[in-house]
Amino acid sequence: EALLAKRSELPSRQRDLGDLSASMAEWSKAWSSACARLYLDAQVLPEAALAATRIYRDLANTRKQLHDLEGRVAGIERDMEDFSLRAQGVGSLLGGDPALGAVEMVVSLGGRLLEARSVRSAREALTDQLQTVQEDISLARAKLDLTNAQLESLRAEATLAEGDSMADAIQRATTAAEASRQIEEIKEALVRDGGGLSFHEIITEATSVEEDGDALAALCEELNSRIEELESSLNEANFALGEASRELAMVSGDEVAADFDQDAANDLAGIALNVTEYARNALGAAILRDVMRDYSRDHRGPLLDRASVIFAQLSAGAFPQLVPDAMGEHPVLFARRRNNEFLTTAQLSDGLRDQLYLALRLAGLSNQLAQVRETVPVVLDDVLVNFDDDNSRRALVAFDELGDQTQVILFTHHRRIVELAQGSLQPSRLAVIELPGRDQDKAPLASGVRPQPGDSPNREQFSAGHQVGEEIVGCLNAAIGSLSKQEILARTEIDESEWTAAIRLLVDSGTVVQEGKKRGARYRLVVR
């Protein structure tokens, strides 16, 4: 029965064997194809093939890592070459030795930079001193005028004639005052030595003395001899006191000199320690500045990226990128040319500087508009007054792009700006509204300035103050934090003679806040 049961299962088992054989044939074919792609023998075991596959995968990852490392090495070499070119370029502009290497050139220029900063600090100190001296001169002149006025009043009180000398009158008054003082001293001496008698009693008693002149003379001579003896004793005592004082001074002087020598030795030891600490800190600060510069370059914010795009558009591609950096403790902004030359804002022309400020302002507005829930219109007042036609067209296109976020309103009294806008923008994106003119006979006032009682400035003074004020506002707007007067004058082309009137208008109007007084004053824009 068992044999019959097994025989009955034989056909199904044979079918299963045929299916398995077919599957084995298909697997062997697929295995041979897979081994051929891996350049392996078809008879290799799966375990060995799996190990080979892992080796192949590791090889691919290793080749990728090698390619990444080669890319990084190439980038480092490009950076080194760019550093060398920039160092040699800066060195050639500043008169450096062309035979020096890039690192030596940077070290040499660093020394010159320290000297230049020292000279600038000395110049600023001398400028402050000059301003102080000028203020002192002005104060002295005011005092002189006041003294002359008082002198004239005194001459009138003294009833001096036109030709009379004030010095003679003063001399006579001084002589009279001295005589009066001596008389009072004599009176006080008589009263002090009069044994309690009053001055009048002493005079009465003196006039009642019946001694003749010879007896009084002899008595006075005897008293004078006694006085001379006492003065001689006093001189001897003073001489002895002087000798003792000199000996005491010599002894105490040696102790003071020893103390000074000890203090000098302590100070020298402290200086040696401080020099080592300063060198370590200076090196750390230089490395930290380089790391900060690299971090700022690699992690530029969207605001600066947007400003770079707008500035590249306004400058017709002449400056494709804005790069943040640091000079000492102060952050600065560089504009990179197409030839990789880096310029500060002070090195840019007036037109490019205006374009840069406009790009930063538009980027800031775009960033703010992206963060508010309800947009508000942007109002621009004659911002293209210093732009030529080509620059104005590019700026109008930038305004049009900002119009995708909100409404842009541009005020202008130049017909040419309207014509450029009509020729550069789509009619559906532009609306021109002409406003009625105002009375031109009235002198214009600077924005936000209230006329003070007694002031009567003419139109030219207000116009000049307004133009200089715009330059000051633009400089403060581009700065981070507050600036001093010298920093603002150095970053602009404002003449120092125009400074006082312009800054007074801005402070009085509430546009600028003055922090501190006189030489230490700093200025910043009011945040609206």
Side-chain angles (χ1 to χ4, degrees):
E1 291 178 357
L3 181 60
L4 290 176
K6 294 295 183 182
R7 285 182 177 178
S8 63
E9 295 177 357
L10 182 61
S12 62
R13 292 293 182 93
Q14 289 177 345
R15 286 194 300 273
D16 293 338
L17 179 61
D19 294 338
L20 293 174
S21 298
S23 299
M24 184 66 183
E26 292 179 0
W27 180 87
S28 298
K29 183 178 178 182
W31 177 256
S32 299
S33 176
C35 291
R37 286 197 299 271
L38 296 176
Y39 299 96
L40 298 176
D41 189 357
Q43 303 301 322
V44 68
L45 295 177
E47 291 80 2
L50 180 60
T53 302
R54 290 173 178 173
I55 292 174
Y56 285 148
R57 288 178 179 175
D58 293 340
L59 178 61
N61 293 331
T62 304
R63 290 184 63 185
K64 184 178 181 302
Q65 294 176 359
L66 177 61
H67 182 268
D68 294 340
L69 291 175
E70 289 176 348
R72 292 179 61 184
V73 170
I76 293 173
E77 291 177 348
R78 288 194 301 271
D79 292 341
M80 292 176 61
E81 182 179 359
D82 180 65
F83 170 76
S84 299
L85 292 176
R86 290 176 61 187
Q88 294 295 335
V90 173
S92 62
L93 290 175
L94 299 179
D97 188 0
L100 295 177
V103 178
E104 291 81 0
M105 180 69 71
V106 171
V107 173
S108 175
L109 294 178
R112 293 176 59 185
L113 176 61
L114 292 177
E115 294 177 0
R117 287 177 176 172
S118 177
V119 171
R120 184 180 65 180
S121 299
R123 184 187 66 184
E124 291 178 353
L126 291 175
T127 302
D128 293 342
Q129 293 178 5
L130 177 60
Q131 184 177 358
T132 302
V133 170
Q134 290 176 348
E135 292 175 355
D136 294 340
I137 291 174
S138 299
L139 182 60
R141 288 177 177 173
K143 290 182 178 179
L144 179 60
D145 294 339
L146 179 60
T147 302
N148 290 332
Q150 294 175 349
L151 181 60
E152 291 299 328
S153 177
L154 290 175
R155 288 179 62 89
E157 292 180 3
T159 64
L160 294 178
E162 185 66 26
D164 292 342
S165 173
M166 192 67 181
D168 295 339
I170 293 174
Q171 182 63 33
R172 291 194 300 270
T174 303
T175 303
E178 180 64 21
S180 299
R181 185 186 63 79
Q182 293 177 358
I183 292 173
E184 293 297 328
E185 290 180 354
I186 293 173
K187 289 181 178 180
E188 293 176 358
L190 290 174
V191 172
R192 184 174 59 252
D193 300 332
L197 298 177
S198 65
F199 177 73
H200 293 288
E201 291 174 347
I202 293 174
I203 296 299
T204 302
E205 184 175 350
T207 55
S208 63
V209 174
E210 297 179 355
E211 297 288 342
D212 57 5
D214 294 336
L216 290 176
L219 180 60
C220 289
E221 185 176 359
E222 180 181 357
L223 293 175
N224 288 331
S225 299
R226 180 59 179 166
I227 291 172
E228 289 177 358
E229 292 176 1
L230 294 175
E231 288 179 349
S232 177
S233 299
L234 180 61
N235 290 334
E236 292 176 358
N238 288 333
F239 180 79
L241 178 61
E243 291 293 331
S245 299
R246 281 192 294 272
E247 292 177 359
L248 179 60
M250 292 176 63
V251 174
S252 62
D254 292 339
E255 294 177 353
V256 172
D259 293 339
F260 284 153
D261 290 340
Q262 183 63 36
D263 294 340
N266 294 335
D267 293 340
L268 183 60
I271 289 174
L273 295 176
N274 291 332
V275 166
T276 303
E277 185 67 19
Y278 173 78
R280 185 182 301 110
N281 293 335
L283 179 60
I287 296 175
L288 182 59
R289 284 195 297 270
D290 292 340
V291 173
M292 290 172 59
R293 183 180 61 251
D294 295 339
Y295 183 86
S296 299
R297 181 185 59 197
D298 297 336
H299 300 81
R300 290 153 41 94
L303 179 62
L304 191 57
D305 291 338
R306 180 56 182 164
S308 297
V309 173
I310 298 176
F311 186 51
Q313 177 183 353
L314 295 178
S315 62
F319 292 87
Q321 187 181 19
L322 297 176
V323 180
D325 207 331
M327 296 182 66
E329 299 178 354
H330 302 285
V332 295
L333 186 64
F334 288 95
R336 182 177 66 83
R337 289 184 181 273
R338 284 195 294 260
N339 59 357
N340 286 332
E341 180 184 2
F342 290 82
L343 301 179
T344 63
T345 54
Q347 294 172 326
L348 298 175
S349 64
D350 292 342
L352 287 172
R353 195 180 300 122
D354 291 341
Q355 293 175 359
L356 175 58
Y357 293 155
L358 181 59
L360 292 171
R361 179 56 62 86
L362 292 179
L365 291 172
S366 178
N367 183 63
Q368 292 178 351
L369 291 171
Q371 299 176 3
V372 297
R373 296 181 177 179
E374 184 177 355
T375 58
V376 294
V378 174
V379 181
L380 307 173
D381 186 9
D382 247 340
V383 295
L384 306 180
V385 65
N386 295 323
F387 285 27
D388 57 19
D389 288 355
D390 293 335
N391 292 331
S392 297
R393 289 190 186 94
R394 291 191 288 269
L396 290 169
V397 173
F399 297 160
D400 181 58
E401 294 176 354
L402 183 62
D404 293 336
Q405 296 179 269
T406 186
Q407 182 183 17
V408 179
I409 302 174
L410 172 62
F411 288 98
T412 181
H413 60 275
H414 295 280
R415 174 62 62 179
R416 182 59 179 166
I417 300 298
V418 178
E419 296 174 355
L420 294 174
Q422 292 174 340
S424 303
L425 307 180
Q426 299 179 3
S428 60
R429 307 272 295 182
L430 175 66
V432 178
I433 301 175
E434 295 188 4
L435 302 177
R438 61 183 177 85
D439 188 0
Q440 299 298 328
D441 293 333
K442 295 182 179 179
L445 295 179
S447 176
V449 178
R450 295 191 298 266
Q452 301 297 325
D455 293 343
S456 58
N458 56 33
R459 181 174 304 177
E460 290 75 10
Q461 290 174 335
F462 269 112
S463 179
H466 186 60
Q467 294 174 359
V468 176
E470 287 182 350
E471 295 188 27
I472 296 175
V473 171
C475 179
L476 293 176
N477 187 41
I480 299 177
S482 59
L483 297 177
S484 64
K485 169 186 174 182
Q486 298 301 329
E487 291 174 335
I488 296 174
L489 293 179
R491 299 184 183 187
T492 61
E493 297 181 356
I494 299 174
D495 189 82
E496 190 169 359
S497 61
E498 302 173 341
W499 165 262
T500 303
I503 196 65
R504 187 175 300 153
L505 289 175
L506 293 175
V507 173
D508 292 342
S509 65
T511 305
V512 174
V513 173
Q514 178 178 339
E515 300 174 347
K517 297 181 179 180
K518 293 186 177 180
R519 291 178 297 167
R522 300 182 68 85
Y523 304 91
R524 61 176 175 83
L525 283 180
V526 176
V527 179
R528 300 295 185 183

